[in-house]
Amino acid sequence: MSRAERITHPGPRNAIRQHVVPGIARRVPVRLAAGRILMDAVADAMEEIGCDSAILVLDGLALGPYRFVMPRFGSPDGIRVAWYSDTHEGVSAVLEHGVASVGRKDGAWFLHCHAVWDVDSEPKSGHLLPDQVTIGADSTVTAFAFWGGVFDVTADEETHFSFFRARPTSPPAGAPNAAIATLAPFEDLVTVMPGLAAPYGGTSAPLYGLGSVIGADFAEGPSMESLASEVLTLPGATAGRIPLHCVDPDGGMFRGDLLKGAGPVLITFELMLTSPEV
């Protein structure tokens, strides 16, 4: 039995497996000020840019006091196939790498962030809670601002989670140079990405994403056998080569270039593909 065959979600299978929205993306440096709550600072930045949605690359972001969760297999109510760990906290850190999707929840700005960092030379990884993270020092991060679509928190009947779903907004002027997308459970990342990226440079299109997968096998290095995880793309990811960082419920970390057929989505995967010139 494959890893994916061991997963049964509580609701009926959604008919649409890939929600894909083309639009216009622009790379924008974003200054985040020390002492601010991450969610509030990002919301103000989005208002200033005037975009519909964004992907943030948070490499080098300094954290003050922060809280995060890790993956858990199975939910306390016994309904969902995965959930969140108890909340962990830290005093300060600097992110080695982080990817966040920015969209809307009940009309207000909201973000979803997975990241990797060190504490006293010990690697940590997980899902940062954006309203419980204080920015530790003035930091500049990269936003891939997007017009034409939004990540919108939506109740999902298949998984019984509420999470970002890519939805169109008003079409921007000009030819699309990017797309945002959300993938349903069991969609294989390596298999689907070239097709999604075909209008934006094919396999050379840069990829930024985060979510969860049902185990993972890599071109080199040990496999992640856990059926629950938190994952994010690593720098240099493209539609044709997906270096992925994964953390399992025990805090085990795995990374490498994902193999075809070896990275099916567990709950959801949020992403942006851009033309190489963005």
Side-chain angles (χ1 to χ4, degrees):
M1 179 182 291
S2 71
R3 298 184 191 113
E5 289 171 332
R6 296 163 60 189
I7 297 295
T8 302
H9 287 291
R13 180 182 172 89
N14 293 323
I16 300 175
R17 312 308 293 170
Q18 304 170 9
H19 290 82
V20 184
V21 181
I24 301 292
R26 180 164 57 91
R27 184 191 297 252
V28 181
V30 171
R31 186 76 167 169
L32 300 177
R36 298 207 64 196
I37 296 298
L38 178 62
M39 185 68 261
D40 296 341
V42 169
D44 286 350
M46 294 301 99
E47 290 293 331
E48 183 176 348
I49 295 168
C51 56
D52 295 328
S53 201
I55 288 283
L56 303 181
V57 177
L58 299 174
D59 301 14
L61 177 66
L63 308 183
Y66 63 95
R67 305 184 83 195
F68 68 101
V69 295
M70 294 170 59
R72 167 180 171 167
F73 189 66
S75 62
D77 58 14
I79 294 173
R80 301 165 185 85
V81 301
W83 198 243
Y84 308 102
S85 72
D86 293 338
T87 301
H88 304 273
E89 58 186 32
V91 175
S92 65
V94 175
L95 298 187
E96 171 200 330
H97 181 53
V99 176
S101 47
V102 186
R104 299 281 184 172
K105 181 179 181 180
D106 298 326
W109 287 110
F110 189 70
L111 73 83
H112 177 205
C113 178
H114 292 178
V116 189
W117 63 98
D118 283 345
V119 176
D120 297 328
S121 299
E122 180 182 353
K124 301 285 186 182
S125 185
H127 169 123
L128 291 175
L129 301 173
D131 59 347
Q132 300 178 51
V133 172
T134 301
I135 299 168
D138 291 348
S139 302
T140 299
V141 301
T142 298
F144 291 90
F146 188 80
W147 288 263
V150 62
F151 292 115
D152 187 35
V153 173
T154 303
D156 180 65
E157 189 176 0
E158 181 174 355
T159 63
H160 286 207
F161 276 84
S162 291
F163 48 62
F164 275 151
R165 179 158 290 158
R167 299 186 183 279
T169 55
S170 299
N177 67 351
I180 60 171
T182 47
L183 304 180
F186 310 115
E187 293 292 282
D188 181 72
L189 297 184
V190 175
T191 301
V192 305
M193 221 56 70
L196 298 182
Y200 314 108
T203 56
S204 64
L207 167 66
Y208 310 91
L210 69 159
S212 57
V213 295
I214 309 168
D217 298 317
F218 307 102
E220 295 183 5
S223 297
M224 180 183 69
E225 296 296 340
S226 173
L227 303 183
S229 63
E230 303 272 12
V231 308
L232 67 159
T233 56
L234 289 168
T238 66
R241 185 181 73 86
I242 305 179
L244 201 67
H245 174 91
C246 314
V247 60
D248 70 15
D250 296 323
M253 297 186 203
F254 306 83
R255 62 170 63 186
D257 289 356
L258 195 60
L259 294 176
K260 187 172 185 178
V265 173
L266 175 62
I267 303 295
T268 187
F269 194 85
E270 306 149 9
L271 66 101
M272 180 185 290
L273 287 157
T274 74
S275 297
E277 64 270 14
V278 172

